[in-house]
Amino acid sequence: MHVIRNTEEIRKFIGEKKTAVALGAFDGLHIGHYKVIRTAVESGLTPVVFTFRDNPAEYLTGTCCYLTTVEERMRILESWGVEYVIMPDFAQVAEWPAERFANLLRCGLNARNTYCFRRTPRIQYIRHMKSHSVIWNPYIRHKPASGS
């Protein structure tokens, strides 16, 4: 499994591979996360997890409780069949407009599918990209997002 910590290095590792990206904080890995990630692994595309070295909650609120260490997460993700983990600092991408993040998925990661555990405004934007599918976690109920 390859761990990429700088978003500028993604193309060097991913190249032209078409990917399925599981997107989330993944501060602890539980059965819901497993099902989302497993869907990406079983998609027939190159399975990628896009997460963060630090928890977004810590960046946004100043407090956070980690459920697993980074080392534990990497070991678990590899055992689940993930080939690449994109793991920048949250601060590196927090201020990006949704369009830049969408371009990273579409062009940098060559993503064909993005699997998410939760809906966020940024993901709502990505959902409207052409030649790309966003699949919410089919194992939990979601309230319809405004405007969808």
Side-chain angles (χ1 to χ4, degrees), residues 119-134:
R119 294 181 190 219
T120 67
R122 188 169 283 177
I123 299 306
Q124 287 296 102
Y125 177 87
I126 294 166
R127 191 172 146 221
H128 299 289
M129 294 182 346
K130 292 184 178 176
S131 73
H132 190 95
S133 300
V134 173

Side-chain angles (χ1 to χ4, degrees), residues 33-86:
H33 292 143
Y34 172 78
K35 290 179 179 181
V36 169
I37 292 167
R38 196 76 213 144
T39 305
V41 169
E42 293 173 350
S43 71
L45 301 165
T46 301
V48 174
V49 165
F50 192 108
T51 189
F52 302 101
R53 198 173 332 185
D54 50 340
N55 192 309
E58 187 173 24
Y59 177 86
L60 298 169
T61 67
T63 61
C64 177
C65 177
Y66 291 91
L67 303 174
T68 57
T69 67
V70 170
E71 294 78 18
E72 289 170 323
R73 282 186 281 161
M74 295 305 101
R75 191 182 75 253
I76 293 166
L77 291 173
E78 186 170 29
S79 76
W80 289 354
V82 173
E83 292 183 30
Y84 295 90
V85 176
I86 313 304

